[in-house]
Amino acid sequence: MGSGHAQALYRHGHSPVHALPPHCKLAAVFCFVLVVVSTPREAVWAFALYAVLLAAVTGIARIPAGVLLRRLLIEIPFVAFAFLMPFVVPGDHVQFLGLSLSVPGLWGAWNVLAKGTLGVAASVILASTTELRSLLLGLQRLRLPPLLVQIASFMIRYGDVITDEMRRMSIARRSRGFEARGVRHWGVLAKSAGALFIRSYERGERVHLAMVSRGYAGTMPVIDEVTASRTQWTYAAALPVSALAVCLLGWTL
């Protein structure tokens, strides 16, 4: 699976987490996120334990903490939204450092921040320990609709191709002295976007015809079948099962 930018998320390693079959890791992350989302926001200690569980998995996978923290920056837009909630959500207010903050807004901000960060962290660990091609094979193994898997496969494969085409068009504009400096240049950028769409569409048609001429009938061939043993499923289930125990305790207290 060739996608230079997306494939950079993967960190080659030989840890027990790397060795797990992709569909086991996908199921484990999905169940873990489901448990985290189901946890009451008032159980602050439960989210701390979830973070400890993810830190343990990070250590087992031998992912440097700095790498994980840098990749968590992708959630900054959601964090910014969470910080606005104490100021815009109606309800009882408290004073903090001269600011009037909404109590429901504070709980809502904590809910978004805690659950979003844990979900993104789990996804980062998955992407860091599993190659993109293996993830697609895992999705096939989990019986995700084949059409969705193929769309994801083509998106990953040709994302960098389209990006490179856009880069070449930008270089061509600059070589002719064009610099987008205001609204009056939006028309040129719009025409470039239209040309990029047409080129991408025509490329897609050519690729489809090439695939059909080589026997494509709506499904991609599976070269290597990925299977998982009962032991591997047990290892993968350790994270969501531990999180479920914490969640149940949080609902009972």
Side-chain angles (χ1 to χ4, degrees), residues 185-200:
H185 294 129
W186 286 5
V188 177
L189 297 177
K191 292 177 182 177
S192 298
L196 179 63
F197 173 79
I198 293 174
R199 291 185 184 183
S200 302

PDB file of all heavy atoms in Angstrom, residues 185-200:
ATOM      1  N   HIS A 185      -7.588  37.096  -6.751  1.00  0.00           N
ATOM      2  CA  HIS A 185      -6.909  35.922  -7.285  1.00  0.00           C
ATOM      3  C   HIS A 185      -7.679  34.623  -7.027  1.00  0.00           C
ATOM      4  O   HIS A 185      -7.226  33.554  -7.418  1.00  0.00           O
ATOM      5  CB  HIS A 185      -5.504  35.794  -6.673  1.00  0.00           C
ATOM      6  CG  HIS A 185      -4.585  36.902  -7.071  1.00  0.00           C
ATOM      7  ND1 HIS A 185      -3.859  37.634  -6.163  1.00  0.00           N
ATOM      8  CD2 HIS A 185      -4.285  37.425  -8.292  1.00  0.00           C
ATOM      9  CE1 HIS A 185      -3.137  38.551  -6.794  1.00  0.00           C
ATOM     10  NE2 HIS A 185      -3.383  38.442  -8.088  1.00  0.00           N
ATOM     11  N   TRP A 186      -8.809  34.732  -6.355  1.00  0.00           N
ATOM     12  CA  TRP A 186      -9.579  33.522  -6.059  1.00  0.00           C
ATOM     13  C   TRP A 186     -10.083  32.839  -7.324  1.00  0.00           C
ATOM     14  O   TRP A 186     -10.256  31.631  -7.356  1.00  0.00           O
ATOM     15  CB  TRP A 186     -10.754  33.870  -5.149  1.00  0.00           C
ATOM     16  CG  TRP A 186     -10.334  34.147  -3.725  1.00  0.00           C
ATOM     17  CD1 TRP A 186      -9.061  34.209  -3.237  1.00  0.00           C
ATOM     18  CD2 TRP A 186     -11.198  34.395  -2.621  1.00  0.00           C
ATOM     19  NE1 TRP A 186      -9.055  34.491  -1.895  1.00  0.00           N
ATOM     20  CE2 TRP A 186     -10.373  34.612  -1.486  1.00  0.00           C
ATOM     21  CE3 TRP A 186     -12.572  34.471  -2.467  1.00  0.00           C
ATOM     22  CZ2 TRP A 186     -10.893  34.883  -0.223  1.00  0.00           C
ATOM     23  CZ3 TRP A 186     -13.097  34.750  -1.196  1.00  0.00           C
ATOM     24  CH2 TRP A 186     -12.261  34.946  -0.094  1.00  0.00           C
ATOM     25  N   GLY A 187     -10.351  33.613  -8.371  1.00  0.00           N
ATOM     26  CA  GLY A 187     -10.825  33.016  -9.617  1.00  0.00           C
ATOM     27  C   GLY A 187      -9.804  32.065 -10.208  1.00  0.00           C
ATOM     28  O   GLY A 187     -10.162  30.980 -10.702  1.00  0.00           O
ATOM     29  N   VAL A 188      -8.519  32.441 -10.143  1.00  0.00           N
ATOM     30  CA  VAL A 188      -7.465  31.566 -10.659  1.00  0.00           C
ATOM     31  C   VAL A 188      -7.384  30.286  -9.834  1.00  0.00           C
ATOM     32  O   VAL A 188      -7.250  29.178 -10.376  1.00  0.00           O
ATOM     33  CB  VAL A 188      -6.111  32.299 -10.644  1.00  0.00           C
ATOM     34  CG1 VAL A 188      -4.995  31.373 -11.106  1.00  0.00           C
ATOM     35  CG2 VAL A 188      -6.180  33.536 -11.530  1.00  0.00           C
ATOM     36  N   LEU A 189      -7.484  30.435  -8.507  1.00  0.00           N
ATOM     37  CA  LEU A 189      -7.432  29.259  -7.639  1.00  0.00           C
ATOM     38  C   LEU A 189      -8.640  28.351  -7.873  1.00  0.00           C
ATOM     39  O   LEU A 189      -8.514  27.116  -7.832  1.00  0.00           O
ATOM     40  CB  LEU A 189      -7.378  29.698  -6.177  1.00  0.00           C
ATOM     41  CG  LEU A 189      -6.139  30.506  -5.763  1.00  0.00           C
ATOM     42  CD1 LEU A 189      -6.238  30.934  -4.298  1.00  0.00           C
ATOM     43  CD2 LEU A 189      -4.866  29.693  -5.985  1.00  0.00           C
ATOM     44  N   ALA A 190      -9.800  28.948  -8.134  1.00  0.00           N
ATOM     45  CA  ALA A 190     -10.994  28.146  -8.409  1.00  0.00           C
ATOM     46  C   ALA A 190     -10.830  27.357  -9.705  1.00  0.00           C
ATOM     47  O   ALA A 190     -11.207  26.180  -9.790  1.00  0.00           O
ATOM     48  CB  ALA A 190     -12.224  29.043  -8.484  1.00  0.00           C
ATOM     49  N   LYS A 191     -10.251  28.007 -10.725  1.00  0.00           N
ATOM     50  CA  LYS A 191     -10.006  27.298 -11.982  1.00  0.00           C
ATOM     51  C   LYS A 191      -8.995  26.166 -11.793  1.00  0.00           C
ATOM     52  O   LYS A 191      -9.131  25.100 -12.389  1.00  0.00           O
ATOM     53  CB  LYS A 191      -9.514  28.277 -13.040  1.00  0.00           C
ATOM     54  CG  LYS A 191     -10.565  29.293 -13.478  1.00  0.00           C
ATOM     55  CD  LYS A 191      -9.991  30.279 -14.473  1.00  0.00           C
ATOM     56  CE  LYS A 191     -11.042  31.322 -14.872  1.00  0.00           C
ATOM     57  NZ  LYS A 191     -10.485  32.342 -15.791  1.00  0.00           N
ATOM     58  N   SER A 192      -7.999  26.397 -10.948  1.00  0.00           N
ATOM     59  CA  SER A 192      -7.019  25.343 -10.663  1.00  0.00           C
ATOM     60  C   SER A 192      -7.684  24.172  -9.959  1.00  0.00           C
ATOM     61  O   SER A 192      -7.399  23.010 -10.256  1.00  0.00           O
ATOM     62  CB  SER A 192      -5.890  25.903  -9.794  1.00  0.00           C
ATOM     63  OG  SER A 192      -5.198  26.936 -10.462  1.00  0.00           O
ATOM     64  N   ALA A 193      -8.586  24.478  -9.014  1.00  0.00           N
ATOM     65  CA  ALA A 193      -9.301  23.405  -8.314  1.00  0.00           C
ATOM     66  C   ALA A 193     -10.165  22.610  -9.287  1.00  0.00           C
ATOM     67  O   ALA A 193     -10.244  21.376  -9.207  1.00  0.00           O
ATOM     68  CB  ALA A 193     -10.152  23.993  -7.186  1.00  0.00           C
ATOM     69  N   GLY A 194     -10.814  23.306 -10.218  1.00  0.00           N
ATOM     70  CA  GLY A 194     -11.623  22.605 -11.224  1.00  0.00           C
ATOM     71  C   GLY A 194     -10.773  21.723 -12.117  1.00  0.00           C
ATOM     72  O   GLY A 194     -11.157  20.592 -12.435  1.00  0.00           O
ATOM     73  N   ALA A 195      -9.614  22.254 -12.523  1.00  0.00           N
ATOM     74  CA  ALA A 195      -8.720  21.450 -13.371  1.00  0.00           C
ATOM     75  C   ALA A 195      -8.208  20.229 -12.618  1.00  0.00           C
ATOM     76  O   ALA A 195      -8.090  19.140 -13.195  1.00  0.00           O
ATOM     77  CB  ALA A 195      -7.548  22.318 -13.838  1.00  0.00           C
ATOM     78  N   LEU A 196      -7.925  20.403 -11.318  1.00  0.00           N
ATOM     79  CA  LEU A 196      -7.463  19.264 -10.520  1.00  0.00           C
ATOM     80  C   LEU A 196      -8.550  18.201 -10.406  1.00  0.00           C
ATOM     81  O   LEU A 196      -8.274  17.000 -10.489  1.00  0.00           O
ATOM     82  CB  LEU A 196      -7.055  19.747  -9.126  1.00  0.00           C
ATOM     83  CG  LEU A 196      -6.579  18.678  -8.147  1.00  0.00           C
ATOM     84  CD1 LEU A 196      -5.303  18.010  -8.662  1.00  0.00           C
ATOM     85  CD2 LEU A 196      -6.341  19.276  -6.762  1.00  0.00           C
ATOM     86  N   PHE A 197      -9.811  18.647 -10.247  1.00  0.00           N
ATOM     87  CA  PHE A 197     -10.920  17.692 -10.167  1.00  0.00           C
ATOM     88  C   PHE A 197     -11.051  16.908 -11.469  1.00  0.00           C
ATOM     89  O   PHE A 197     -11.230  15.682 -11.460  1.00  0.00           O
ATOM     90  CB  PHE A 197     -12.223  18.431  -9.861  1.00  0.00           C
ATOM     91  CG  PHE A 197     -13.436  17.552  -9.933  1.00  0.00           C
ATOM     92  CD1 PHE A 197     -13.758  16.707  -8.881  1.00  0.00           C
ATOM     93  CD2 PHE A 197     -14.244  17.560 -11.061  1.00  0.00           C
ATOM     94  CE1 PHE A 197     -14.882  15.880  -8.950  1.00  0.00           C
ATOM     95  CE2 PHE A 197     -15.362  16.746 -11.136  1.00  0.00           C
ATOM     96  CZ  PHE A 197     -15.675  15.897 -10.077  1.00  0.00           C
ATOM     97  N   ILE A 198     -10.974  17.611 -12.599  1.00  0.00           N
ATOM     98  CA  ILE A 198     -11.111  16.937 -13.900  1.00  0.00           C
ATOM     99  C   ILE A 198      -9.973  15.939 -14.103  1.00  0.00           C
ATOM    100  O   ILE A 198     -10.180  14.810 -14.557  1.00  0.00           O
ATOM    101  CB  ILE A 198     -11.149  17.976 -15.028  1.00  0.00           C
ATOM    102  CG1 ILE A 198     -12.435  18.805 -14.926  1.00  0.00           C
ATOM    103  CG2 ILE A 198     -11.064  17.297 -16.392  1.00  0.00           C
ATOM    104  CD1 ILE A 198     -12.498  19.954 -15.898  1.00  0.00           C
ATOM    105  N   ARG A 199      -8.747  16.343 -13.769  1.00  0.00           N
ATOM    106  CA  ARG A 199      -7.617  15.436 -13.921  1.00  0.00           C
ATOM    107  C   ARG A 199      -7.771  14.207 -13.029  1.00  0.00           C
ATOM    108  O   ARG A 199      -7.472  13.085 -13.441  1.00  0.00           O
ATOM    109  CB  ARG A 199      -6.318  16.164 -13.572  1.00  0.00           C
ATOM    110  CG  ARG A 199      -5.922  17.252 -14.568  1.00  0.00           C
ATOM    111  CD  ARG A 199      -4.570  17.834 -14.197  1.00  0.00           C
ATOM    112  NE  ARG A 199      -4.206  18.946 -15.067  1.00  0.00           N
ATOM    113  CZ  ARG A 199      -3.058  19.598 -14.990  1.00  0.00           C
ATOM    114  NH1 ARG A 199      -2.156  19.233 -14.094  1.00  0.00           N
ATOM    115  NH2 ARG A 199      -2.796  20.599 -15.799  1.00  0.00           N
ATOM    116  N   SER A 200      -8.241  14.436 -11.808  1.00  0.00           N
ATOM    117  CA  SER A 200      -8.426  13.309 -10.884  1.00  0.00           C
ATOM    118  C   SER A 200      -9.512  12.366 -11.383  1.00  0.00           C
ATOM    119  O   SER A 200      -9.372  11.139 -11.315  1.00  0.00           O
ATOM    120  CB  SER A 200      -8.784  13.837  -9.490  1.00  0.00           C
ATOM    121  OG  SER A 200      -7.792  14.701  -9.000  1.00  0.00           O
TER     122      SER A 200
END
